Every structure is written in C-alpha cells, then in structure tokens.
Amino acid sequence: MRLLHTSDWHLGQTLHNYDRTYEHQCFLDWLLDTIVAEDVDALLIAGDIFDNTNPSSAAQRQLYGFLQRAKARTPHLQVVVIAGNHDSPGRLEAPGPLLEAHGTVVIGNVVRASDGAVDLERLLVPLRDRGGEVKAWCLGIPFLRPGDVPRVEVEGDAYLNGIAELYRQAFALARSRRAEGQAILAMGHCHMVDGQSSNDSERRIVIGGTEALPASMFAPEIAYAALGHLHLAQRVGKKEHLRYCGSPLPMSFAEVAYQHQVLRIDLEGAIAKEVTPILVPRAVELLRVPARPAPLPEVLAALEALELDPDLPPACHPYLEVRVLLDGPEPGLRAQVEAAIAGKPVRLAKIEPTRKSVGPAEGADALTLDQLAELKPDDIFRRLWRQRYGEDAPDEQLSAFAELMLSDGKEGA
C-alpha cells in the first residue's frame, strides 16, 4: 500500500498582504498529478489546511475543489484529514458526511461519550486496498487542547500526560482490531521535542507551559507517524518512521532557500518499508536582496542590477525582501527602494532594516529611581536616541517628537 503525507497547506494565507491563491492552486494541481503518477492509495493531511479558523470562501473552494477532482481522477483514493491549531475543528468537520461518501474522512474534534470517556472509534480509520481489504489502521488525532485529553492521575504535566494517554488508548484500540500483516499508522498535529521551527512562520503552541512532546508517546509498533505543525521537513528523534513533511509553500522569507516536499510511504505488511521525499516545485520565487544586510548604496545598486523575466505574468512576480544596514534613521528609505525597482516584475513584500549596534555612551551612569521619575518625555527620547545611534538626536526628530507629544496631549484633553 502506498501513502502520501502532506500538511500545513495554510490555504488563504497572505505573504505581507499579497494574495497567494495562485501559488496554492499550483501546489494542489501538482499534488493531484503526483497522486496519479505515484499511484497513491491514501492521502494523509496532517492539519492546518486553512491559515485561520474563519477561512475565506475562496480558500474553502480550493480545498473542496481539490477533493472533488481527486475523487474523479483516482476513484480508489482514500483521504484522511485532521485539524491543526490554525483550523476550526467544527468548520472543518461540517461537510463530513458528504465528504465521507466520497472517500474523505475529516477528524476535527475529540468527542466524548455520555460517560465522559473519549470516543476513540471516530479517531480510528481503516485504510483499504483497491479490493476493499483493510491493510492498515490510522489513528487520526487532531490538534489537542486541554479539554480534549483524558485526565491522568500521575505526577507531571497534566496536558502532556493526557496527550500520551489518548495516544495509548487509541493505539490499544487499533491493536485490538488489527489482523496479522496490517500496519498501524498515527497522525498528529503537535510540536515534538527537538523539533526545528521555521523562524517567523509558525504559531507557537504553548498550553500550560507545555510545548514539546516526547517521541516516546508513539508505541514502537506504530509503522509510521504523519505529523503536522512544523514547516520544515524533519525526522523526530532521528527515527525514519516519525516524520514532519513540512509545508508545501514557504510561509516566510526565513524559508527562502528551503526545498519543500511531501513524503511517500510504502507499506509492506505491518511496516513502512520506505519513506521517500518528493520535492514540491516553487511557483513563485522569494528573493532576498542582498543575501546579507548591506549599506543602502550597495543595496540600491543591487536592486537596480536585478535581471528578471519581463514576460512573467503578475501572479508569478517574485516576492522581494530588501535587507539594509543603516547607521541611523533613513526617512526616505522606502521611496528610494521603490525607485530602484521601478518597472521591474517584482513585488516588494518587506524592507528589513538592520542598525549597527551602538554600545552605551561613555560616562552614562545608571539613574536612580528618583532621577528617572524627574525625567521628562523629551529627556527620555534624547537619551534613547544617543544610546541607539551614538549621537544627539537631529532637530527635525526632536521637533517631530514634540509635535507628537502635543498632539497626544490634545487628544487626552
């Protein structure tokens, strides 16, 4: 049996206010072609399908359009979807009955029975071959909140122990159903111990002080764990069968040089025989100019020297981050950057100024609390300016600060 593991689509996401519908559609088209070309039996989508809990109608159409086309082109395909921390569990599950009729199982919520026990049955999904025979059991565990997990009367973090107990209970149910030669798989949307995050693009999961979960919560008999949340593809605990596939699109400029992927898993009986990365083509490039922050004249020269394909359609214009090393304030910075790229097929997404660090002024003694209390706002402004830039604040900046304080005082009155 052949599986494909993907996650963190973040449909509806914008990059510095630029719409990314085109990029997401390119990925979904490519994914469908890949499913057909690789002859995939089941698609595992490990959470964060949408970028927020109230996705646009366009983002929802992209998801359901993809599922409809996948069913039309690969009638045998099974799809298992779990909710991530960006998703609304209820919204994701709402069309569940309709989707299940077309081979898609969506697990957004952890439901409890009348006695308060977690309904484990709805977390266990049988995966069948094209002859209808069960070949694997999939534990579909969505992003878990404190109220989702069982209470465990043991020492330690209640949330962490509750998650481990829920996986243990679900695995026990799967093991009771499994016949000889059938694999047990797990899906989860969480942050594992030593997981490598992508700067600027992931929402931290911190609940009750707990963030990272140990790999030991997955039973040794689990053939493969398909994880979501971290945007960089990686192994967990250096184990081949515990994997994040990463996001298919770069979520920030921190991922400019990273090659995104999905993972193909080939099952042989009860084990995952092989895990193979399949690289996702990038529909729109991200540019960092220059590669390292540089003085403004060098940056402007590099921007003017940019050579880009003039025939690129607007939806394919690269996103640009400009990285400038400044000695002090540069009020006309954006205008100068825009002038340097005028007429070029590129989208200015971000200007990242970096200022040369300046140590504390010589002879600047620490102030007592009484002295601090006597300082006026303009005194504080002058001191901070000198501390940051190593020189006195220019007259125009002092005038602008005074005007700001005066305006604020009028509004307060």
Side-chain angles (χ1 to χ4, degrees):
M1 192 175 201
R2 175 166 286 180
L3 317 172
L4 206 62
H5 169 200
T6 179
S7 74
D8 295 272
W9 294 358
H10 289 273
L11 299 179
Q13 188 237 9
T14 59
L15 184 66
H16 297 284
N17 295 320
Y18 284 108
D19 181 83
R20 308 190 78 182
T21 301
Y22 170 76
E23 293 167 86
H24 281 119
Q25 194 58 54
C26 286
F27 163 68
L28 294 175
D29 292 345
W30 171 87
L31 180 61
L32 183 51
D33 289 341
T34 301
I35 289 169
V36 174
E38 297 289 338
D39 200 21
V40 172
D41 298 298
L43 176 67
L44 308 180
I45 310 175
D48 281 355
I49 290 82
F50 298 116
D51 191 57
N52 59 66
T53 57
N54 187 27
S56 67
S57 58
Q60 293 180 73
R61 280 197 300 270
Q62 278 196 311
L63 171 63
Y64 301 129
F66 166 80
L67 294 175
Q68 186 274 328
R69 290 186 298 128
K71 184 64 177 178
R73 290 185 62 183
T74 54
H76 65 275
L77 182 71
Q78 292 178 266
V79 183
V80 184
V81 181
I82 62 170
N85 59 300
H86 281 252
D87 298 312
S88 164
R91 186 183 296 274
L92 203 60
E93 281 192 352
L98 181 62
L99 294 176
E100 286 181 19
H102 293 83
T104 297
V105 176
V106 180
I107 305 171
N109 288 297
V110 171
V111 175
R112 293 182 181 273
S114 57
D115 62 357
V118 172
D119 182 357
L120 299 173
E121 291 285 351
R122 71 189 307 273
L123 304 179
L124 186 60
V125 182
L127 299 180
R128 304 176 187 275
D129 63 15
R130 297 173 201 187
E133 183 180 349
V134 174
K135 291 295 183 181
W137 295 90
C138 181
L139 313 178
I141 313 293
F143 172 66
L144 297 170
R145 295 169 173 83
D148 296 328
V149 302
R151 290 188 178 182
V152 183
E153 300 298 329
V154 296
E155 292 185 3
D157 189 281
Y159 175 65
L160 181 71
N161 290 324
I163 291 177
E165 176 62 15
L166 181 58
Y167 273 92
R168 187 196 67 77
Q169 292 178 7
F171 174 76
L173 177 62
R175 186 167 52 186
S176 71
R177 299 286 175 80
R178 177 182 61 174
E180 185 177 353
Q182 294 176 347
I184 298 179
L185 314 169
M187 296 177 68
H189 192 91
C190 49
H191 191 149
M192 304 299 295
V193 169
D194 295 330
Q196 182 184 359
S197 299
S198 172
N199 295 333
D200 305 326
S201 73
E202 289 162 10
R203 183 181 300 169
R204 290 176 62 84
I205 301 176
V206 180
I207 301 177
T210 298
E211 179 170 6
L213 305 169
S216 59
M217 74 179 193
F218 295 110
E221 296 169 74
I222 288 179
Y224 183 81
L227 302 175
H229 176 59
L230 298 184
H231 294 167
L232 303 183
Q234 56 196 283
R235 297 167 181 81
V236 175
K238 299 181 180 179
K239 297 181 183 297
E240 287 292 320
H241 70 294
L242 305 181
R243 295 285 197 108
Y244 287 98
C245 61
S247 61
L249 270 63
M251 297 289 109
S252 76
F253 281 93
E255 301 171 30
V256 64
Y258 179 73
Q259 179 63 64
H260 294 262
Q261 59 190 249
V262 299
L263 295 171
R264 188 189 74 205
I265 303 96
D266 289 304
L267 298 179
E268 187 174 276
I271 66 170
K273 180 183 178 182
E274 189 174 10
V275 180
T276 306
I278 302 176
L279 303 184
V280 179
R282 186 169 291 183
V284 178
E285 289 300 316
L286 274 69
L287 303 177
R288 269 182 160 171
V289 178
R292 296 179 180 275
L296 183 57
E298 294 181 27
V299 171
L300 296 177
L303 292 174
E304 291 171 356
L306 270 179
E307 294 186 4
L308 301 168
D309 183 356
D311 297 325
L312 280 176
C316 295
H317 287 185
Y319 301 111
L320 173 66
E321 179 188 67
V322 178
R323 313 177 84 188
V324 189
L325 184 63
L326 298 176
D327 292 320
E330 188 67 46
L333 176 59
R334 187 173 188 88
Q336 294 181 70
V337 169
E338 289 177 341
I341 61 173
K344 296 183 183 293
V346 69
R347 289 176 278 189
L348 178 59
K350 183 181 182 183
I351 299 176
E352 184 68 38
T354 302
R355 292 181 171 83
K356 293 180 180 179
S357 59
V358 178
E362 293 184 9
D365 298 326
L367 299 179
T368 66
L369 291 177
D370 289 339
Q371 289 172 323
L372 283 172
E374 293 175 1
L375 288 177
K376 300 293 188 292
D378 61 321
D379 294 326
I380 297 173
F381 181 80
R382 292 171 187 269
R383 292 178 69 91
L384 288 174
W385 189 282
R386 171 162 284 281
Q387 181 179 339
R388 174 163 292 186
Y389 302 117
E391 60 185 21
D392 291 333
D395 291 339
E396 62 268 23
Q397 296 294 337
L398 292 171
S399 298
F401 180 76
E403 184 178 345
L404 177 64
M405 292 300 298
L406 181 62
S407 172
D408 186 62
K410 289 180 179 178
E411 291 178 4

